[in-house]
Amino acid sequence: MTLTHRKANREDLDALRALMEAAIAELQKPFLNEQQVASSRTIMGLDTQLIEDGTYFVVENDGELAGCGGWSRRATLYGGDQTPGRDAALLDPSKDAARVRAMYTHPLHVRKGVGRLILSLCEDAARREGFSRVELMATMAGEPLYRACGYEAVERIEDERGGAPVPMLRITKAF
Ligand SMILES: CC(C)(COP(=O)(O)OP(=O)(O)OC[C@H]1O[C@@H](n2cnc3c(N)ncnc32)[C@H](O)[C@@H]1OP(=O)(O)O)[C@@H](O)C(=O)NCCC(=O)NCCS
């Protein structure tokens, strides 16, 4: 097994959407009921701003798309292009935390270190731009990964924007 990584580009969009749909539908099942999985589709997903900003990565396993995720120097904490309440304002590295965004591993490639690799790419890139912290809104499916990578809980919330309330955990890591 060889994991490689590169920045995502617009030609990846269809494949990324398919991968995200598979990850949302399959990997959240142990944590959420059917209504909450449906609700997740409103509040999660692809943020094309990250691709335009050059801060979104894809990971391939022996050349096959295995996962994606990125980071951001912009204020939006989570959500896809379709999620209401987005904010493209630039963060201030001297006082704000960079965002980690939209982490998804294809169900056929879980527990191979794809998520861990993308997180380290994000943290390194944010550190290079002068940020001393990162933060994100974790799904219940994502929480074990972030805990394993040294993230600490800030607050639990429920997001009702998609219908059924979806439990989420705001989580942070200082470098
Ligand atoms: C969260 C997600 C990206 C993790 O991806 P992954 O590539 O399987 O994670 P990794 O293989 O890098 O896991 C690294 C470590 O995290 C922990 N971990 C990851 N998934 C876990 C799980 N389901 N249960 C328990 N621990 C888990 C383990 O400690 C693991 O190390 P190990 O496999 O050596 O024990 C993936 O489950 C996913 O796409 N979920 C659905 C979408 C989602 O909710 N994304 C998060 C948005 S915030």
Side-chain angles (χ1 to χ4, degrees):
M1 178 188 84
T2 313
L3 295 182
T4 54
H5 63 85
R6 61 176 172 80
K7 284 187 180 172
N9 59 60
R10 297 196 72 82
E11 283 71 55
D12 294 315
L13 286 177
D14 288 347
L16 289 174
R17 287 199 183 95
L19 185 152
M20 288 177 189
E21 173 50 34
I24 290 171
E26 285 305 311
L27 303 177
Q28 301 213 103
K29 269 187 198 158
F31 302 92
L32 303 178
N33 64 36
E34 224 171 276
Q35 290 74 24
Q36 289 171 316
V37 172
S39 186
S40 295
R41 294 193 175 90
T42 300
I43 59 171
M44 297 175 69
L46 185 66
D47 182 345
T48 47
Q49 173 94 65
L50 301 179
I51 295 178
E52 278 156 32
D53 284 347
T55 58
Y56 204 62
F57 301 104
V58 301
V59 166
E60 290 163 332
N61 182 12
D62 294 332
E64 187 179 324
L65 184 61
C68 53
W71 72 283
S72 184
R73 55 179 85 87
R74 298 182 187 275
T76 301
L77 184 59
Y78 67 106
D81 287 347
Q82 79 291 355
T83 308
R86 296 151 59 70
D87 180 357
L90 287 172
L91 299 166
D92 177 354
S94 70
K95 59 178 171 63
D96 299 321
R99 311 317 196 198
V100 169
R101 301 286 311 277
M103 303 271 305
Y104 297 90
T105 297
H106 193 283
L108 293 174
H109 295 286
V110 289
R111 306 301 288 270
K112 296 178 178 176
V114 172
R116 197 188 283 275
L117 169 60
I118 293 173
L119 262 188
S120 72
L121 293 170
C122 293
E123 292 169 10
D124 289 348
R127 198 185 287 114
R128 278 198 302 274
E129 275 202 23
F131 287 93
S132 54
R133 283 184 310 130
V134 282
E135 106 177 10
L136 67 118
M137 192 64 85
T139 59
M140 296 302 96
E143 184 178 348
L145 165 67
Y146 305 119
R147 296 273 192 195
C149 293
Y151 284 68
E152 290 175 7
V154 178
E155 59 167 345
R156 289 197 182 274
I157 66 151
E158 285 197 331
D159 191 328
E160 301 184 347
R161 290 175 296 172
V166 178
M168 306 197 81
L169 179 65
R170 190 173 185 130
I171 200 161
T172 190
K173 180 177 179 177
F175 302 139

